[in-house]
């Protein structure tokens, strides 16, 4: 990985893209320390202490501390991610959206616009809930105009981050949205690590638990790399064709099927989805809020196990969901047949599609199961010890996955540049 980055830095075009990406991420970190107007930060610290660390700790980890700082980026990009989940699920259920998804680049552009509008609406709702609900004691604003200014600032912050992520994707390296999440998590990991060391020094938790935590983190890094790089290569043989005096085809190749084609998106989606009940519980009061807190959050007596099971299932589900979107076995089978190819031992057409479906489903199950287990281990460790590591598994999976994905994109750009130089 370091060799790839060093080689990429020597190429002016790629170096400029890397510098542009770093500049955009610096803007994100700078904005994370700019406070929103009319907010008393001392009251926010008290709210964090009294509300519990399950949902607020996760949201603050993923936002890089923006929520505990109540900065202009406090809502981060999670309203947009939630909107993306909703739109992609509706794409399967609503024929009109499904047609847009199949229209190519123009259809994807329209879906992205719908997702952005939905994200702004969700950001508006979440900002109002934060100002008038969760952080109501910390708000020093008086009157409609001042309260509106806080909400507009938070919504504008989310909209700006989505725009910034798009600029990174278009003009930089890697996926902009994923990199913003990546930087937010990396910014908080050292602080969390030092906090756990201090807990062990104070005798609040044992050093054995800390050692187990470190071993789990190392295992997560290793297994995420294995999952991301692992693939099943399905052989494809192309028949020979005689055109005039020339013979075409006859070569053998393969279809690389990744163990985890969806990368870290299943973990991001499942984690975001699982915070909805806890967020609603924070913003509301009464019996319904108590029910959500007790049964669907980590702080509840039975809620932890329900949370763990649902989170496990959702990661596997989103892995299947994303792989089904990215790898259309019917289209693959048609393309192979139209080009005179076949999988040895499998008839072209529908049998090829069925074979690819079975292969993808088996591999996807392994990838989804591995991600779910890796995400659950720190949750269990946090539950049975006093360590603050509940969401470190999720964070590490995202960090390693995004890092690998970004390096792969840099390698792809270097390969394309070499090909262009050869053709030129």
């Amino acid at each position: 990985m370091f060799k790839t980055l060093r080689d990429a830095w020597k190429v002016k075009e790629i170096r400029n893209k890397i510098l542009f990406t770093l500049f955009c991420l610096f803007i994100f970190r700078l904005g994370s320390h700019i406070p929103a107007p009319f907010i008393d930060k001392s009251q926010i610290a008290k709210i964090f202490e009294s509300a519990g660390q399950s949902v607020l700790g996760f949201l603050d980890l993923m936002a890089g501390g923006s929520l505990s700082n109540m900065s202009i980026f406090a809502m981060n990009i999670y309203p947009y991610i939630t909107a993306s989940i909703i739109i992609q699920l509706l794409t399967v259920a609503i024929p009109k959206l499904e047609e847009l998804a199949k229209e190519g680049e123009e259809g994807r552009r329209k879906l992205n616009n719908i997702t952005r509008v939905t994200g702004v609406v969700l950001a508006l709702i979440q900002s109002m809930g934060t100002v008038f609900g969760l952080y109501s004691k910390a708000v020093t604003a008086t009157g409609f105009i001042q309260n509106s200014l806080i909400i507009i600032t938070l919504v504008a912050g989310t909209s700006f981050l989505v725009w910034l992520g798009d600029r990174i994707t278009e003009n930089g390296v890697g996926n902009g949205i994923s990199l913003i999440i990546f930087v937010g998590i990396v910014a908080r990991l050292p602080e969390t690590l030092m906090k756990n060391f201090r807990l062990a020094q104070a005798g609040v938790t044992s050093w054995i638990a800390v050692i187990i935590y470190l071993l789990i983190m190392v295992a997560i890094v290793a297994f995420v790399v294995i999952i991301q790089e692992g693939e099943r290569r399905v052989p494809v043989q192309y028949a020979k064709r005689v055109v005039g005096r020339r013979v075409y085809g006859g070569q053998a190749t393969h279809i690389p099927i990744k163990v985890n084609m969806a990368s870290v998106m299943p973990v991001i989606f499942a984690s975001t989805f699982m915070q909805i009940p806890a967020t609603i519980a924070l913003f509301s009061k009464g019996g319904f809020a108590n029910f959500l807190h007790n049964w669907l959050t980590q702080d509840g007596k039975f809620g932890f196990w329900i949370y763990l099971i649902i989170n496990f299932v959702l990661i596997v589900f989103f892995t299947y969901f994303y792989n089904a979107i990215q790898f259309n076995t019917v289209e693959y089978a048609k393309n192979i047949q139209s080009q005179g190819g076949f999988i040895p031992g499998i008839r072209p057409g529908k049998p090829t599609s069925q074979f690819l479906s079975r292969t993808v489903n088996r591999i996807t199950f392994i990838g989804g199961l591995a991600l779910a287990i890796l995400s659950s281990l720190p949750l269990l460790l946090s539950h049975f010890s006093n360590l603050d590591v509940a969401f470190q598994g999720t964070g590490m999976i995202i960090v390693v996955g995004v890092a690998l994905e970004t390096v792969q994109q840099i390698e792809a750009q270097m390969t394309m540049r070499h090909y262009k130089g050869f053709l030129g």
Side-chain angles (χ1 to χ4, degrees), residues 210-221:
V210 175
I211 293 172
I212 293 173
Y213 158 66
L214 293 175
L215 291 175
I216 289 176
M217 292 300 107
V218 172
I220 286 175
V221 172

Side-chain angles (χ1 to χ4, degrees), residues 53-320:
Q53 293 298 313
S54 60
V55 59
L56 290 181
F58 171 78
L59 294 176
D60 195 45
L61 169 69
M62 305 293 271
S66 296
L67 187 61
S68 57
N69 293 332
M70 195 53 186
S71 73
I72 58 176
F73 295 152
M75 298 297 100
N76 209 266
I77 56 173
Y78 290 99
Y80 174 80
I81 292 176
T82 305
S84 181
I85 297 173
I86 294 171
I87 297 302
Q88 292 198 37
L89 291 175
L90 290 178
T91 300
V92 181
I94 300 178
K96 182 63 177 177
L97 293 178
E98 187 177 2
E99 290 176 8
L100 287 176
K102 294 179 179 179
E103 286 181 3
E105 187 63 32
E106 181 64 21
R108 283 193 293 270
R109 187 182 63 80
K110 291 180 181 178
L111 280 177
N112 286 336
N113 290 336
I114 295 172
T115 303
R116 289 189 182 93
V117 172
T118 307
V120 170
V121 173
L122 291 177
L124 177 62
I125 295 172
Q126 188 172 335
S127 299
M128 293 175 65
T130 301
V131 172
F132 299 117
L134 178 62
Y135 282 176
S136 58
K137 294 181 181 179
V139 175
T140 60
T142 56
F144 174 79
I145 295 178
Q146 292 183 352
N147 283 307
S148 298
L149 181 60
I150 303 175
I151 295 171
I152 292 171
T153 300
L154 297 178
V155 174
T158 295
S159 301
F160 177 79
L161 285 182
V162 174
W163 177 84
L164 193 67
D166 289 341
R167 299 290 74 74
I168 294 174
T169 302
E170 291 178 8
N171 305 315
V173 291
N175 182 289
I177 299 297
S178 298
L179 283 172
I180 288 174
I181 299 174
F182 169 89
V183 171
I185 295 173
V186 169
R188 298 289 290 176
L189 283 178
E191 180 183 338
T192 304
L193 184 63
M194 294 307 299
K195 178 181 177 181
N196 289 321
F197 277 116
R198 287 194 294 269
L199 289 174
Q201 289 176 343
V204 178
T205 188
S206 66
W207 283 104
I208 295 176
V210 175
I211 293 172
I212 293 173
Y213 158 66
L214 293 175
L215 291 175
I216 289 176
M217 292 300 107
V218 172
I220 286 175
V221 172
F223 279 101
V224 169
V225 172
I226 293 172
I227 293 169
Q228 293 290 91
E229 297 297 318
E231 64 181 23
R232 163 77 184 278
R233 295 183 176 181
V234 178
V236 177
Q237 181 71 42
Y238 289 91
K240 292 183 179 180
R241 294 180 295 123
V242 179
V243 180
R245 294 183 179 181
R246 294 191 177 187
V247 178
Y248 294 91
Q251 74 272 23
T253 184
H254 65 270
I255 302 173
I257 302 177
K258 288 282 188 181
V259 175
N260 182 27
M261 287 180 280
S263 189
V264 297
M265 294 311 294
V267 177
I268 295 175
F269 274 22
S271 301
T272 305
F273 189 87
M274 287 306 301
Q275 299 314 309
I276 294 176
T279 305
I280 295 174
L282 284 174
F283 290 156
S284 58
K285 299 178 181 179
F288 181 66
N290 292 333
F291 170 80
L292 292 175
H293 182 270
N294 292 331
W295 291 95
L296 292 175
T297 71
Q298 291 188 84
D299 297 330
K301 182 178 180 181
F302 301 103
F304 170 79
W305 299 104
I306 296 175
Y307 178 98
L308 190 70
I309 293 170
I310 296 177
N311 185 63
F312 193 100
V313 172
L314 282 176
I315 290 176
V316 176
F317 166 76
F318 281 120
T319 303
Y320 271 100

Side-chain angles (χ1 to χ4, degrees), residues 5-41:
L5 293 175
R6 186 175 65 251
D7 293 341
W9 187 259
K10 297 176 182 178
V11 181
K12 183 178 179 181
E13 181 183 353
I14 300 177
R15 182 171 66 247
N16 290 338
K17 290 185 176 183
I18 294 174
L19 290 173
F20 177 81
T21 302
L22 292 175
F23 175 72
C24 291
L25 295 177
F26 171 76
I27 292 175
F28 162 59
R29 290 307 302 157
L30 183 65
S32 298
H33 295 281
I34 300 176
F38 307 111
I39 296 293
D40 184 355
K41 292 184 66 174

